[in-house]
């Protein structure tokens, strides 16, 4: 197996929030003589960020610097998620400024990650503020982005705030499939009422 197989495995781990140790994963690659690449490091950073472990993420960032691998938008997006999961929304917002200094323009994915951070704490005012900022900058958030914010609100106990976000969906082509994907995830988390609310929008 080469690094592409291990990267695919990491992607599945991340999507399912599977509990594993990034450092042990790196050690396993080393033992097998498989060289990690930029994608490997990005996904290991993402795992630490899922856990809100900024120190762990910084450790992997150091590996990237040593190997002179460029830090791209995906890494910054992961760091926004990491700070949010560590209950430090101020630092999460600050990553937008760090991106600007690095010459990177935040994308719809970046803003969606930040919106999910605000959703985690139920800060609907900041969510609306940044959605309006995206509109001013002509950054187009997709239905799946809004549904991701709804998922984050619901799974963090803020179901009462989902309607305003659901109203923003445009029901573009592919909406039903995006809705089904989120409905299944919500049902798995026991959030049946929110799942039903989304079902009614289809």
């Amino acid at each position: 197996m080469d690094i592409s197989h291990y990267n695919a495995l990491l992607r599945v781990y991340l999507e399912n929030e599977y509990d594993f140790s990034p450092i042990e994963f790196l050690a396993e690659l080393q033992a097998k003589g498989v060289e990690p690449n930029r994608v490997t490091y990005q996904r290991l950073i993402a795992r630490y960020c899922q856990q809100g472990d900024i120190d762990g993420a910084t450790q992997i960032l150091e590996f990237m610097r040593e190997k002179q691998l460029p830090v791209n938008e995906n890494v910054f997006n992961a760091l926004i998620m990491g700070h949010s999961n560590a209950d430090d929304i101020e630092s999460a917002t600050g990553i937008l400024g760090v991106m600007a200094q690095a010459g990177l323009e935040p994308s719809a994915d970046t803003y969606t990650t930040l919106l999910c951070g605000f959703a985690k704490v139920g800060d609907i005012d900041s969510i609306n503020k940044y959605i309006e900022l995206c509109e001013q900058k002509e950054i187009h958030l997709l239905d799946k982005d809004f549904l991701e914010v709804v998922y984050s609100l619901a799974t963090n106990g803020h179901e009462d705030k989902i309607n305003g976000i659901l109203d923003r969906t445009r029901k573009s082509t592919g909406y039903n499939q995006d809705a089904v994907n989120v409905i299944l995830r919500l049902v798995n988390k026991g959030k049946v009422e929110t799942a039903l609310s989304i079902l009614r929008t289809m």
Side-chain angles (χ1 to χ4, degrees):
M1 293 203 299
D2 63 26
I3 194 60
S4 64
H5 297 101
Y6 287 101
N7 287 345
L9 178 63
L10 281 175
R11 187 165 65 93
V12 175
Y13 281 176
L14 288 171
E15 283 173 358
N16 293 282
E17 294 181 27
Y18 177 72
D19 191 20
F20 73 99
S21 161
I23 287 294
E24 282 174 21
F25 194 93
L26 270 181
E28 189 187 331
L29 289 180
Q30 200 171 8
K32 291 181 175 171
V34 179
E35 183 65 31
N37 62 16
R38 185 169 53 91
V39 175
T40 318
Y41 288 120
Q42 279 171 14
R43 290 182 179 167
L44 294 174
I45 287 170
R47 175 58 195 156
Y48 275 129
C49 289
Q50 273 184 344
Q51 298 168 300
D53 183 350
I54 294 299
D55 291 341
T58 306
Q59 204 177 348
I60 304 289
L61 270 171
E62 286 305 318
F63 286 139
M64 288 185 78
R65 283 203 190 100
E66 281 168 25
K67 294 183 181 289
Q68 295 183 321
L69 293 168
V71 174
N72 67 2
E73 184 202 318
N74 294 343
V75 173
F76 285 112
N77 293 355
L79 290 171
I80 289 172
M81 173 177 63
H83 285 299
S84 300
N85 290 344
D87 297 324
D88 184 358
I89 199 72
E90 198 176 321
S91 294
T93 311
I95 295 289
L96 294 178
V98 178
M99 285 181 80
Q101 286 168 5
L104 283 171
E105 190 64 39
S107 70
D109 284 345
T110 309
Y111 283 107
T112 302
T113 309
L114 185 59
L115 291 173
C116 288
F118 290 127
K120 191 169 180 283
V121 293
D123 184 352
I124 202 75
D125 291 339
S126 292
I127 290 173
N128 288 326
K129 177 182 144 189
Y130 275 90
I131 289 174
E132 279 156 30
L133 180 69
C134 287
E135 284 169 5
Q136 286 164 20
K137 291 181 165 228
E138 295 188 3
I139 294 168
H140 303 293
L141 297 174
L142 304 174
D143 286 341
K144 73 177 178 60
D145 300 329
F146 291 120
L147 288 171
E148 206 53 52
V149 176
V150 168
Y151 175 84
S152 195
L153 281 167
T155 53
N156 288 287
H158 307 292
E159 293 97 328
D160 55 320
K161 296 175 178 169
I162 66 163
N163 288 337
I165 305 301
L166 273 181
D167 290 344
R168 288 182 178 272
T169 56
R170 297 180 191 87
K171 320 287 186 296
S172 308
T173 308
Y175 176 78
N176 281 1
Q177 189 55 58
D178 291 335
V180 166
N181 293 342
V182 173
I183 286 168
L184 290 171
R185 287 165 60 208
L186 284 164
V187 169
N188 283 335
K189 292 280 187 182
K191 299 294 177 183
V192 179
E193 283 304 313
T194 303
L196 198 57
S197 296
I198 295 174
L199 180 66
R200 290 192 182 108
T201 67
M202 288 167 69

